[in-house]
Amino acid sequence: MSVYQLLYMDKIPDNSVCDEAVKLVKKTAYRQLSGFVNGVLRNIARQKSTITVSDLPTDLSVRPWMFDLLAEMIGVEKTTEFLKYSLKEHGVSVRKAGTDEVYVLDDSKDITSSDAWIKGEIIVQDYSSSLPVILADIKQGQTVLDVCAAPGGKSIQASEKVGPCGTVISCDISEKKLAKIRENTNRLKISNIRTVLQDAAVFNESFRNSADVVLADCPCSGIGTISKKPEIKNRLTSDDCISLADIQYSILSNVCEYVKNGGKLVYSTCTLDHFENQDNLHRFLDEHPEFCLVKEKIMIPSEDSPIPFDGFYIAVMEKND
């Protein structure tokens, strides 16, 4: 406590800090150490201008386990850059309807009252979130199955790719989430998206071998989104990441059955830990040899990024029986 006062509390005179500490020690069973305490504290007081105290996790407002996990995956430098980035606000990312163009708006304004929003010219979507659809290389006339679709950004983007002759089936686990998708499709006047109430971990026979592309943006820890959801840093544990990885794997093992021969399975998360990303991918490929990895991308934002975006992981796999 006294060292903290000396280093961080400028309004308390150094002499007072030392004197009070000595008085406290003399009231304990260790009164014989009062001289030692006095000497140590006065030495720190004399040299405090040269003392550097560095605790990266604390300085970057994150728990040590999360810092260590990220550093193991992406290195200390990139982890530090990402966490510095996450301490700042970055506005609201929107995608221009009908394009892959993403730009950032001032989040102090209500974009839902803007002409662009009302006319269906924009949709809220992070740049990273637009990449799974881009990397899937979706073609006109294809069938796309989005198994964890809410709030619908990827489904809407995919619907633009498949065109009027194609179909997008947007699934999610609750009617409330599906209502959000329909709200967006109605505003954007999109007619080639069909919503289905469906748990991604439960097999649906009618979907078997039906999709050219399956988008599986699975529930995850959300570490990549901590700039928008800082509460994640306080509630998340490393055990949560491992438990979520099991859920994600069960989803992947189920929805892979929906991919046509020659089709693609796109796995994505908005997190950066290896349990949920690389470990899951390698396990899946080992146990499903009919799939091969064709593209993999890790998005790690920093203060030097040309446009703000979430931390993200994407793996595109192709099925060839």
Side-chain angles (χ1 to χ4, degrees):
M1 180 182 69
S2 297
V3 173
Y4 181 88
Q5 288 176 319
L6 288 172
L7 295 179
Y8 297 109
M9 301 182 73
D10 297 335
K11 293 183 179 181
I12 305 177
D14 292 350
N15 286 340
S16 297
V17 173
C18 296
D19 291 344
E20 290 301 314
V22 169
K23 290 177 184 178
L24 287 172
V25 172
K26 286 181 176 179
K27 292 179 180 180
T28 72
Y30 303 99
R31 56 180 298 114
Q32 70 273 18
L33 295 177
S34 60
F36 172 77
V37 170
N38 183 56
V40 170
L41 290 177
R42 292 192 183 278
N43 194 36
I44 291 173
R46 284 192 297 270
Q47 301 183 48
K48 66 179 181 179
S49 62
T50 64
I51 296 174
T52 301
V53 179
S54 179
D55 179 358
L56 272 178
T58 301
D59 292 345
L60 297 169
S61 186
V62 71
R63 292 180 177 180
W65 76 262
M66 186 179 291
F67 184 93
D68 292 343
L69 179 64
L70 291 172
E72 180 185 350
M73 281 304 304
I74 61 178
V76 171
E77 183 177 349
K78 287 185 177 180
T79 296
T80 302
E81 290 175 358
F82 165 63
L83 293 174
K84 284 181 178 179
Y85 168 92
S86 72
L87 292 174
K88 298 181 179 179
E89 295 183 355
H90 301 284
V92 177
S93 296
V94 297
R95 183 175 60 81
K96 184 177 179 182
T99 76
D100 293 325
E101 179 185 349
V102 175
Y103 55 96
V104 179
L105 299 177
D106 182 353
D107 61 359
S108 66
K109 300 177 181 178
D110 180 13
I111 65 169
T112 61
S113 61
S114 68
D115 287 343
W117 180 270
I118 294 169
K119 292 177 181 178
E121 296 174 352
I122 58 173
I123 181 169
V124 174
Q125 189 173 7
D126 187 82
Y127 173 67
S128 290
S129 180
S130 72
L131 292 178
V133 172
I134 294 172
L135 294 177
D137 194 25
I138 297 168
K139 307 295 186 184
Q140 289 271 327
Q142 288 188 326
T143 296
V144 176
L145 182 57
D146 191 354
V147 298
C148 302
K154 295 179 191 65
S155 287
I156 290 168
Q157 189 182 10
S159 76
E160 297 164 353
K161 302 289 186 185
V162 301
C165 296
T167 301
V168 175
I169 303 170
S170 299
C171 303
D172 222 302
I173 199 168
S174 75
E175 186 56 45
K176 183 178 180 180
K177 290 185 174 184
L178 294 179
K180 185 64 176 178
I181 298 173
R182 289 192 289 269
E183 178 185 320
N184 277 316
T185 57
N186 290 338
R187 180 176 61 84
L188 294 162
K189 297 179 174 59
I190 293 172
S191 58
N192 60 347
I193 292 180
R194 176 164 62 94
T195 58
V196 176
L197 185 64
Q198 176 68 42
D199 184 340
V202 177
F203 185 68
N204 184 330
E205 180 62 39
S206 67
F207 290 162
R208 185 191 292 272
N209 299 324
S210 66
D212 297 288
V213 176
V214 170
L215 300 174
D217 187 45
C218 296
C220 72
S221 60
I223 293 174
T225 67
I226 56 176
S227 66
K228 298 172 182 174
K229 302 174 181 177
E231 68 277 6
I232 288 173
K233 294 185 287 186
N234 294 323
R235 65 169 173 77
L236 190 70
T237 68
S238 57
D239 287 342
D240 291 334
C241 296
I242 296 171
S243 297
L244 283 162
D246 289 337
I247 293 171
Q248 294 151 359
Y249 187 78
S250 69
I251 290 174
L252 281 177
S253 296
N254 181 54
V255 302
C256 69
E257 298 293 333
Y258 303 155
V259 183
K260 293 178 180 178
N261 192 37
K264 294 171 183 172
L265 171 61
V266 184
Y267 175 55
S268 60
T269 71
C270 56
T271 194
L272 296 171
D273 71 90
H274 62 85
F275 300 117
E276 300 176 79
N277 295 338
Q278 290 88 344
D279 291 359
N280 254 345
L281 173 69
H282 296 152
R283 178 185 174 189
F284 178 82
L285 292 175
D286 285 345
E287 297 185 13
H288 297 83
E290 71 274 21
F291 283 89
C292 64
L293 179 67
V294 293
K295 295 174 187 174
E296 185 180 25
K297 194 170 186 67
I298 305 172
M299 300 293 293
I300 307 169
S302 73
E303 294 177 294
D304 296 328
S305 301
I307 183 174
F309 57 85
D310 293 334
F312 223 83
Y313 177 80
I314 306 153
V316 181
M317 295 164 276
E318 190 170 88
K319 181 180 180 181
N320 291 290
D321 280 335

